Amino acid sequence: MILESARNFCKDTSPIEQVRELLESSQGYEDGVWKQLVGLGWTGIAIPERFGGSELGIEAVVPIVESMGRSLSATPFISCTLAAQVLLRAASPEQQQRWLPKIVEGQVATLALLDNEDWGANSTSHQLSDALVLTGEKWFVDDAVTAELFIILTQYQGSPRFVVVERNQLADTAIQAHALIDETKRSAKVDFTGVSVTADAMLSAKNTDKILGECKLMGALLVAAEAVGTTASCLNLIIEYLNTRKQFGKLIGSYQALKHPSVEILNKMEGARSQIYHAATLFEDSQGVIDRDVEVACRMAKASANDTLLYAGDRAVQFHGGMGFTYECNAQLYIRRAQWSQQQFGDSAHHRKRLAPLLLG
Amino acid sequence: MNHKAPIIFNTIGLGWAGPLILKMGTEAENQKYIKGILTADDIWCQGFSEPDNGSDLGNAQTRAVREGDEYVLNGSKIWTTHGTYAKYMILLARTNPEAKNKYAGLSFFLSPMHAPGITTSPIRKITGEYGFTQTFFDEARIPAECLMGQEGQGWMIAMQTLQFERSVDGGQATKYNFKSITSADLIETCRTIQRDGKPLLEDPVVQDQLVQFIMEERNFLLNLKRSELNALCTDYPMSLMLSGKLEATELFRRMRQYAVSLQGAKGGLYIHDDEALNGGIWQHAYFNIFSATIGGGTSQVQNNIIAEHALQRRAKDDFGKRTQLLQGYIAHRTG
Ligand SMILES: Cc1cc2nc3c(=O)[nH]c(=O)nc-3n(C[C@H](O)[C@H](O)[C@H](O)COP(=O)(O)OP(=O)(O)OC[C@H]3O[C@@H](n4cnc5c(N)ncnc54)[C@H](O)[C@@H]3O)c2cc1C
């Protein structure tokens, strides 16, 4: 049911012409669409009722991001969802009361985790001094341009620690947009150097590593779900062309050289789709507790979805011939999304490497 | 790595228009064109593909009608590399729509680009840059002497051109190898990338894939050498000649895609980002390789050609028959 209404909403609010129009905009989405989405309650879907949410879990977020992926709609929805999940796990009740209702109401929150490109590095060089002043940049801070709330992974007295910084604490020049390969997405380098953190904006000192790990797994699952949706519309684009373009007097879709790889995309996609739903179901069953099975499912979902979209985007370009080599052809949107998507919260090799000990140990 | 320019300027002139004129042109054509090609004063472009006829090149419909000592051109070509600044075009156009088959109605022209009625409109590439055009012919008049060979020989000459372009006669094969970013560059890249806190080059899974790429690259180089020795190409005499472009371009496509996948979060950055690895060259090169897996005949169509001409026309124990086979191949493709 969520799937159907999410799919309709995204179809209506993010037609491909709109996606194209937003490519050069600085924030990448329309405020009006974001407001509507907030109105539907999606920003609170995985947040408890006491903060204004609907108290469902990550399982309810999966079909929404899948639908967004299908329409290539880029809103800060994933960023906000993950930020809220970190707060739910690491913030005190007072802190939760301070920030979660705002997120439900549509204030944009985001995570600032990386200061290098390595999702497997388990440390950060970002520092919070004893005097509670931050030093360092964060890279790949998604939706930073519109974010009001930044949840930053930093080091405090030798241990990793999440702290929260609000937008008005940042200098105007602190945010520098990345030139992303996927022009539908927005991410930035953010310099937090010199920002003073108040003591009540430091999240719990306990379990930071564990929470970080869980956050990355949820991120992996959500990006996987998004990629599965994107693969579906990429495959549609391919099929449409195969059924209209003729060469040698025949539809090119009649050639097995194109037909068989298209079926391969379909089959891989079906596998990845089962993976994301399975992971979502496990989240529901465990009520958000991330155990070994959930971990396995999230990692498998991400690795499968990555490889599927990479293949689909690549073939979409090739199967459009000269047209596929143009910026005008929508195949470029998919091949670009695929390069971006595979790297969020770990590429396929990253996840397979971590699956090996879980499965073979 | 950055100094390796992906495109040699005047590729078409030097790579296949020039060799074509040297091989099949008249003395006058040689006199008129070769010097300008060599000095790159005259940039050439290629007017083969049309919006509706790409892989099925033999179906090209751009019209050329003889009127006195001119030909009148109407129609449109597309994906014209160097279209905006070329001085000349090798042009495939239809002089006889009533010919006995579609191939026989085609003729080949060495056409000026700067003539009234010839206009170009730039097309933006997948990389985000501009680089090729659609070329329109609207009652354009060019001198009759631009016709190369005879009317009706267009397909045969076009096939000869594609032999140069697709490396059967040498032209492009070396280019794929020496001007491209290769496995050596990929290895260097893997040395600089950190994964799980260690250089990627130490990862055994990555090592396995890199060794695989090196082997494939070596296959390609060794094939190139062996293809010069007819006695060692007897089983499938046409195969190495026809597979070079396919094998090289598909290998490079996979290698570049892999290189992007290795970059961690930086793989999501593009060429204008300061933090992009090696200036984003792999991302850019990955997108650009489709110019070679599509341009000059797509990989899918090349597979068809190999199946038809290398597998099915297998010579049993023929030495030195390849030139003959090649002529036969060109003739066969002539319909
Ligand atoms: C960067 C670039 C530069 C180019 N430069 C030039 C140039 O300078 N001059 C010029 O004339 N042309 C140029 N081309 C055009 C190029 O030669 C054509 O794009 C190519 O021949 C394919 O034709 P098409 O684009 O019409 O694709 P189509 O022929 O429509 O092909 C679409 C898809 O169908 C597949 N297909 C078609 N027929 C078959 C079949 N029988 N069996 C199996 N699969 C099939 C193709 O493999 C492809 O995947 C360039 C192309 C590119 C990408």
Side-chain angles (χ1 to χ4, degrees):
Chain A
M1 210 187 67
I2 296 180
L3 183 61
E4 200 187 320
S5 62
R7 209 180 269 190
N8 287 334
F9 176 80
C10 294
K11 206 168 86 191
D12 294 345
T13 56
S14 182
I16 200 77
E17 303 76 35
Q18 176 76 0
V19 172
R20 284 266 174 190
E21 219 163 274
L22 288 169
L23 292 181
E24 286 179 14
S25 68
S26 78
Q27 64 178 46
Y29 64 95
E30 288 219 307
D31 289 326
V33 172
W34 183 244
K35 282 208 186 85
Q36 274 177 282
L37 187 158
V38 173
L40 289 169
W42 291 357
T43 41
I45 207 154
I47 293 177
E49 280 175 2
R50 63 182 183 280
F51 305 116
S54 29
E55 205 148 344
L56 299 167
I58 286 296
E59 66 275 7
V61 179
V62 164
I64 297 177
V65 287
E66 183 195 344
S67 305
M68 290 177 166
R70 190 177 275 261
S71 301
L72 292 172
S73 103
T75 67
F77 182 64
I78 292 182
S79 298
C80 291
T81 303
L82 293 174
Q85 291 301 315
V86 172
L87 292 176
L88 282 170
R89 285 164 167 76
S92 68
E94 298 75 40
Q95 288 172 325
Q96 291 179 351
Q97 195 55 58
R98 182 165 144 209
W99 291 308
L100 286 173
K102 286 188 182 157
I103 293 179
V104 174
E105 285 159 22
Q107 192 172 85
V108 175
T110 189
L111 298 172
L113 302 180
L114 296 186
D115 38 48
N116 57 50
E117 70 281 3
D118 187 1
W119 280 103
N122 45 13
S123 64
T124 174
S125 58
H126 205 265
Q127 291 290 336
L128 179 65
S129 69
D130 292 344
L132 301 189
V133 177
L134 291 169
T135 310
E137 281 179 348
K138 286 287 179 180
W139 294 356
F140 314 108
V141 183
D142 293 345
D143 307 300
V145 169
T146 48
E148 291 291 335
L149 222 53
F150 297 82
I151 301 181
I152 304 158
L153 177 69
T154 189
Q155 285 271 342
Y156 176 64
Q157 298 180 341
S159 304
R161 190 74 175 260
F162 287 112
V163 299
V164 178
V165 161
E166 299 196 16
R167 174 52 172 262
N168 58 21
Q169 295 174 264
L170 296 182
D172 285 345
T173 52
I175 299 175
Q176 258 190 302
H178 279 303
L180 296 186
I181 196 161
D182 176 358
E183 295 176 326
T184 67
K185 293 282 183 182
R186 295 295 175 273
S187 193
K189 194 157 78 168
V190 183
D191 192 353
F192 294 100
T193 304
V195 173
S196 290
V197 176
T198 51
D200 63 1
M202 295 175 68
L203 304 191
S204 165
K206 276 188 236 141
N207 297 329
T208 302
D209 279 331
K210 177 166 174 284
I211 294 166
L212 175 63
E214 293 180 350
C215 165
K216 286 183 186 174
L217 287 173
M218 286 184 282
L221 174 60
L222 295 187
V223 176
E226 187 185 43
V228 167
T230 305
T231 305
S233 52
C234 181
L235 183 57
N236 284 344
L237 180 78
I238 293 174
I239 307 292
E240 214 173 281
Y241 200 64
L242 263 55
N243 285 320
T244 45
R245 174 75 174 173
K246 283 187 176 171
Q247 282 299 281
F248 304 99
K250 282 195 226 162
L251 288 173
I252 57 172
S254 66
Y255 299 121
Q256 292 187 347
L258 308 194
K259 221 182 329 189
H260 289 184
S262 303
V263 171
E264 222 176 303
I265 295 169
L266 174 67
N267 292 342
K268 281 170 180 273
M269 181 181 79
E270 294 293 21
R273 205 166 169 202
S274 297
Q275 295 279 4
I276 59 162
Y277 293 153
H278 173 63
T281 308
L282 292 184
F283 262 100
E284 189 172 14
D285 293 349
S286 73
Q287 305 204 329
V289 176
I290 297 184
D291 57 16
R292 176 191 170 278
D293 289 350
V294 174
E295 177 175 356
V296 167
C298 289
R299 294 196 189 285
M300 283 190 178
K302 183 68 183 5
S304 315
N306 278 350
D307 295 350
T308 308
L309 182 53
L310 266 184
Y311 184 56
D314 182 281
R315 294 297 80 191
V317 170
Q318 180 70 23
F319 292 172
H320 278 75
M323 188 56 85
F325 200 73
T326 66
Y327 191 81
E328 183 197 339
C329 176
N330 289 333
Q332 64 102 339
L333 300 174
Y334 296 104
I335 195 174
R336 284 167 177 268
R337 169 64 65 89
Q339 309 313 309
W340 180 87
S341 191
Q342 69 167 333
Q343 299 295 357
Q344 304 309 305
F345 302 99
D347 60 31
S348 301
H350 170 97
H351 289 292
R352 283 195 295 263
K353 195 177 196 175
R354 283 155 181 79
L355 281 167
L358 290 170
L359 300 171
L360 312 173
Chain B
M1 185 152 86
N2 288 305
H3 62 275
K4 296 190 182 177
I7 297 177
I8 327 175
F9 216 61
N10 209 14
T11 358
I12 293 170
L14 287 167
W16 47 98
L20 177 77
I21 293 167
L22 285 171
K23 182 161 176 177
M24 310 194 71
T26 61
E27 181 55 32
E29 284 163 343
N30 273 280
Q31 286 296 331
K32 181 165 179 195
Y33 299 118
I34 294 300
K35 188 161 170 248
I37 290 175
L38 290 175
T39 59
D41 284 336
D42 300 344
I43 303 299
W44 283 67
C45 68
Q46 179 173 12
F48 283 17
S49 311
E50 298 177 355
D52 290 337
N53 302 289
S55 296
D56 188 7
L57 182 59
N59 202 39
Q61 297 298 332
T62 295
R63 281 286 272 138
V65 178
R66 177 91 189 226
E67 278 185 19
D69 53 5
E70 289 178 328
Y71 278 94
V72 183
L73 306 176
N74 276 291
S76 158
K77 295 292 176 180
I78 196 165
W79 324 126
T80 322
T81 305
H82 306 328
T84 26
Y85 31 77
K87 184 165 169 193
Y88 295 109
M89 169 185 265
I90 44 175
L91 170 68
L92 187 63
R94 189 160 297 279
T95 42
N96 181 6
E98 268 92 49
K100 64 179 191 319
N101 62 49
K102 63 184 181 184
Y103 306 102
L106 293 169
S107 298
F108 202 94
F109 297 87
L110 304 174
S111 168
M113 284 294 279
H114 306 299
I118 302 181
T119 53
T120 60
S121 128
I123 302 175
R124 196 170 176 197
K125 298 187 290 188
I126 188 171
T127 54
E129 297 140 331
Y130 286 85
F132 52 7
T133 65
Q134 184 163 3
T135 306
F136 299 93
F137 303 89
D138 181 14
E139 293 291 314
R141 289 174 177 270
I142 60 171
E145 69 201 37
C146 293
L147 176 72
M148 192 180 195
Q150 307 293 315
E151 281 196 12
Q153 289 186 332
W155 183 250
M156 186 269 291
I157 301 174
M159 282 303 102
Q160 182 61 59
T161 314
L162 289 183
Q163 302 327 313
F164 289 116
E165 181 175 355
R166 293 174 185 162
S167 91
V168 175
D169 276 6
Q172 186 119 351
T174 46
K175 177 189 150 206
Y176 287 125
N177 188 42
F178 297 114
K179 296 291 188 298
S180 293
I181 40 186
T182 62
S183 63
D185 298 308
L186 180 54
I187 293 163
E188 272 319 301
T189 296
C190 290
R191 225 185 277 285
T192 63
I193 298 176
Q194 295 281 308
R195 176 171 291 163
D196 301 326
K198 280 189 291 196
L200 201 52
L201 201 54
E202 292 172 16
D203 184 326
V205 180
V206 173
Q207 288 179 351
D208 184 71
Q209 181 59 71
L210 292 179
V211 170
Q212 182 65 34
F213 284 140
I214 295 170
M215 282 167 51
E216 288 187 55
E217 211 172 73
R218 185 161 304 175
N219 288 348
F220 174 71
L221 284 175
L222 294 175
N223 282 346
L224 214 58
K225 281 203 181 140
R226 182 161 64 89
S227 73
E228 288 162 13
L229 304 167
N230 285 341
L232 301 180
C233 301
T234 52
D235 286 355
Y236 298 95
M238 294 289 283
S239 109
L240 295 182
M241 290 191 272
L242 296 177
S243 65
K245 179 218 182 222
L246 173 73
E247 290 294 288
T249 58
E250 287 294 329
L251 168 62
F252 283 133
R253 180 182 60 79
R254 285 181 285 118
M255 213 159 77
R256 293 170 188 191
Q257 185 185 52
Y258 185 67
V260 180
S261 81
L262 293 177
Q263 297 177 13
K266 281 192 177 179
L269 300 178
Y270 199 48
I271 42 179
H272 304 299
D273 199 286
D274 292 343
E275 309 298 345
L277 187 72
N278 301 126
I281 190 173
W282 290 107
Q283 281 80 327
H284 194 247
Y286 172 47
F287 289 167
N288 256 327
I289 195 65
F290 289 96
S291 68
T293 59
I294 295 168
T298 69
S299 298
Q300 288 68 34
V301 167
Q302 195 64 21
N303 268 316
N304 291 346
I305 291 173
I306 294 169
E308 220 176 294
H309 293 274
L311 280 180
Q312 290 181 16
R313 282 154 205 259
R314 181 157 105 95
K316 294 262 152 42
D317 22 41
D318 263 328
F319 289 83
K321 274 243 174 125
R322 283 204 294 169
T323 319
Q324 219 173 312
L325 274 167
L326 185 58
Q327 302 301 331
Y329 161 70
I330 293 174
H332 174 84
R333 306 266 307 152
T334 309

